[in-house]
Amino acid sequence: MPRRNKNAERPKRTPYRPDATAALERIEEKRERLGVTLADLAGRAGLTERTFTNMRRHKRAFPRHIRALTYALRTIAREQDAEGETL
């Protein structure tokens, strides 16, 4: 087996959990506008409240969690719009 050159440049690795500061800030703004609690949003997205809190604290999240949170917010907004139309 050939030996690896220690001085050779290694390829850049992408972060396992990318920086999601901008996405989490957008989610937080929309959550506050809709008046949704952290627990409710996390439950709708299929996450635990602790996972969601850790994501907000560390500003890092898996892309699938960001997609789940945005989908949950969109669903909540549509439900609130539908309630407003019926009343």
Side-chain angles (χ1 to χ4, degrees):
M1 182 170 212
R3 292 186 93 166
R4 217 165 123 184
N5 184 358
K6 290 182 182 179
N7 297 325
E9 260 190 62
R10 292 185 180 172
K12 293 275 183 178
R13 294 180 67 188
T14 58
Y16 189 57
R17 290 184 305 162
D19 182 28
T21 304
L24 289 170
E25 285 175 0
R26 284 192 308 270
I27 289 169
E28 187 64 23
E29 288 171 7
K30 188 158 186 176
R31 182 189 71 81
E32 289 176 355
R33 247 184 296 127
L34 293 173
V36 180
T37 64
L38 288 173
D40 189 30
L41 178 58
R44 290 281 193 103
L47 305 172
T48 63
E49 188 175 356
R50 183 172 182 167
T51 300
F52 186 40
T53 305
N54 287 340
M55 286 179 358
R56 292 174 63 222
R57 181 182 309 119
H58 301 295
K59 305 289 186 203
R60 296 176 93 51
F62 290 108
R64 68 177 179 266
H65 291 160
I66 297 295
R67 283 191 302 271
L69 288 166
T70 54
Y71 182 78
L73 279 172
R74 211 174 313 133
T75 303
I76 291 169
R78 286 181 184 158
E79 288 174 358
Q80 288 180 355
D81 288 344
E83 286 176 9
E85 290 175 2
T86 58
L87 296 178

